[in-house]
Amino acid sequence: MSEAVARTVGERFRELYGAEAQGVWAAPGRVNLIGEHTDYNDGFVMPFALPHTAVAAVSRRDDGVLRLHSADIDAGPVELRVADLTPGADRSWTAYPSGVVWALREAGHEITGADVHLASTVPSGAGLSSSAALEVVVALALNDLYALGLRGWQLARLCQRAENVYVGAPVGIMDQTASACCEAGHALFLDTRDLSQRQIPFDLAAEGMRLLVVDTQVKHSHSEGEYGKRRAGCEKGAALLGVDALRDVPYADLDAALERLGDEEEVRRLVRHVVTEDERVERVVSLLESGDTRAIGPVLVEGHVSLRDDFRISCPELDLVVDTALEAGALGARMTGGGFGGSAIVLVETAAVEGVTKAVEEAFAMAGFTAPRVFEAVPSAGARRLSPAV
């Protein structure tokens, strides 16, 4: 399949730019199993890569020109000059790839231009990191074409900077690291403070289970205000508690910490979510490593309740997925991603996939919601070069 995709994207590149691409690369979207809104609090996360990818055919240029084209946009290539790239100046989709070029140049790498054609199968606005996939695939291509020698975690850092500063979205490091560093058949246990990683085997099919993604079709945007408000509230909580980040509040000391916050009710809720969520990540890691995979189901549900009630970033569609799936016999479910829409994940026995899926679809129809998109999430490979093979 990857060969066919590379060939198709490469052919379109040739049509657009009149020459063969120097290579084709892919970077996946991701699902976060557990650990939501902990990454910008220096905490723990546990994503895995999806089979859905952003694919880029790219050639290097040496004249200072950056040309960008997306198969998903009905328009010709956008032409920019790398010397003119400025944070905040671009509000279109091109901000993600051009932001990567800007971040690389800001870091001292002499990027003198590129021709880029992109195509993506990562659902946009579904909380599955379509933007991170775009960033990482361009960063990996430029890393190869310019022989920069950067490792996956370094590319992730640069992509995060592109999204934070150039695009203006206050995201943490998880999405870009997952896209750049995940391995097939594994979930990535990531410490977002020091970027240490452990690949945790996660082969549900071998144990008679599946993980479904339910895209509610409710679009969200990280760069809108509510996400930023949550991040600012977390930073306020850390400052009031005298710690560098909420990661530094021990789970055992949570009650005492909340008491110290007094009548700062909103901050108390945010702190409670982050501290308990870090503990949930560590619990899931322990359960998976001990082979007790089914026991992670209730932990996922705990995470959803915390995101709904303390962080307050769920929505009626996400809550309906979780409630309906659990009533239909799912082992666990929760919203995943930044919130305010997007997707939920549902852990089910293989035999229950059809029944749970049907129950969710019928519940959405009865509620008058847009029909959800349901698909299986299979832990897949991170960013890689598709052609020419290396």
Side-chain angles (χ1 to χ4, degrees):
M1 183 175 176
S2 61
E3 289 180 6
V5 170
R7 187 164 53 249
T8 300
V9 174
E11 288 171 355
R12 183 62 176 134
F13 180 97
R14 186 170 60 251
E15 292 171 6
L16 288 164
Y17 300 121
E20 297 286 344
Q22 289 178 284
V24 180
W25 291 260
R30 65 95 190 96
V31 161
N32 193 24
L33 182 62
I34 193 74
E36 220 65 80
H37 288 268
T38 50
D39 57 348
Y40 55 79
N41 289 292
D42 282 3
F44 305 125
V45 295
M46 200 173 186
F48 62 87
L50 288 167
H52 306 72
T53 58
V55 179
V58 186
S59 285
R60 171 176 170 161
R61 296 179 67 104
D62 297 316
D63 59 359
V65 172
L66 175 64
R67 293 194 292 183
L68 302 168
H69 183 266
S70 170
D72 304 313
I73 305 294
D74 186 18
V78 175
E79 185 169 313
L80 305 166
R81 295 203 62 83
V82 296
D84 297 336
L85 299 178
T86 305
D90 187 353
R91 294 297 177 189
S92 75
W93 71 271
T94 56
Y96 296 100
S98 63
V100 170
V101 175
W102 170 84
L104 285 165
R105 286 169 57 83
E106 283 286 298
H109 303 291
E110 192 174 345
I111 307 299
T112 54
D115 285 338
V116 181
H117 170 60
L118 290 154
S120 179
T121 59
V122 185
S124 177
L128 304 175
S129 298
S130 58
S131 59
L134 281 183
E135 293 157 358
V136 170
V137 73
V138 172
L140 181 62
L142 296 176
N143 185 52
D144 286 355
L145 292 175
Y146 283 88
L148 303 180
L150 299 172
R151 299 176 64 187
W153 67 268
Q154 293 171 305
L155 294 176
R157 278 276 198 218
L158 287 164
C159 290
Q160 182 200 16
R161 177 165 169 73
E163 192 154 351
N164 288 170
V165 180
Y166 195 89
V167 178
V171 299
I173 191 65
M174 174 181 67
D175 296 352
Q176 291 82 3
T177 305
S179 187
C181 301
C182 278
E183 295 180 4
H186 293 75
L188 178 69
F189 177 38
L190 174 67
D191 182 333
T192 65
R193 170 165 282 168
D194 62 14
L195 297 188
S196 60
Q197 305 176 13
R198 273 165 53 202
Q199 301 286 347
I200 308 296
F202 191 54
D203 185 358
L204 291 175
E207 299 185 62
M209 288 175 284
R210 297 289 190 272
L211 190 75
L212 304 178
V213 173
V214 182
D215 176 3
T216 65
Q217 306 284 348
V218 178
K219 302 301 182 186
H220 74 158
S221 173
H222 277 168
S223 52
E224 290 176 1
E226 291 300 318
Y227 187 100
K229 287 179 186 176
R230 301 305 189 279
R231 182 164 185 163
C234 290
E235 291 168 353
K236 180 179 179 180
L240 290 172
L241 293 171
V243 294
D244 290 336
L246 294 183
R247 161 15 180 324
D248 297 312
V249 179
Y251 178 71
D253 298 343
L254 176 58
D255 288 344
L258 295 177
E259 194 170 318
R260 287 169 55 201
L261 292 171
D263 59 1
E264 292 277 358
E265 183 53 37
E266 184 174 354
V267 175
R268 283 164 55 92
R269 288 190 287 99
L270 298 179
V271 170
R272 181 165 53 228
H273 167 72
V274 172
V275 175
T276 58
E277 187 78 346
D278 272 335
E279 188 273 339
R280 281 187 285 273
V281 177
E282 293 186 292
R283 233 190 310 160
V284 167
V285 171
S286 295
L287 289 168
L288 291 179
E289 290 188 326
S290 66
D292 195 6
T293 305
R294 282 172 175 78
I296 73 172
V299 189
L300 302 183
V301 178
E302 286 178 33
H304 182 76
V305 171
S306 183
L307 289 162
R308 183 192 67 200
D309 298 346
D310 278 341
F311 230 66
R312 299 188 181 181
I313 58 171
S314 189
C315 66
E317 291 85 350
L318 288 167
D319 293 339
L320 184 60
V321 174
V322 172
D323 294 343
T324 303
L326 294 175
E327 288 171 8
L331 298 168
R334 73 172 190 91
M335 60 155 287
T336 187
F340 312 107
S343 299
I345 55 175
V346 181
L347 181 67
V348 295
E349 302 283 1
T350 300
V353 169
E354 186 175 340
V356 170
T357 300
K358 183 179 179 182
V360 170
E361 291 172 343
E362 290 178 347
F364 267 56
M366 287 185 63
F369 295 151
T370 300
R373 178 184 178 212
V374 184
F375 59 92
E376 184 181 350
V378 179
S380 301
R384 61 224 183 255
R385 187 170 187 157
L386 298 181
S387 71
V390 291

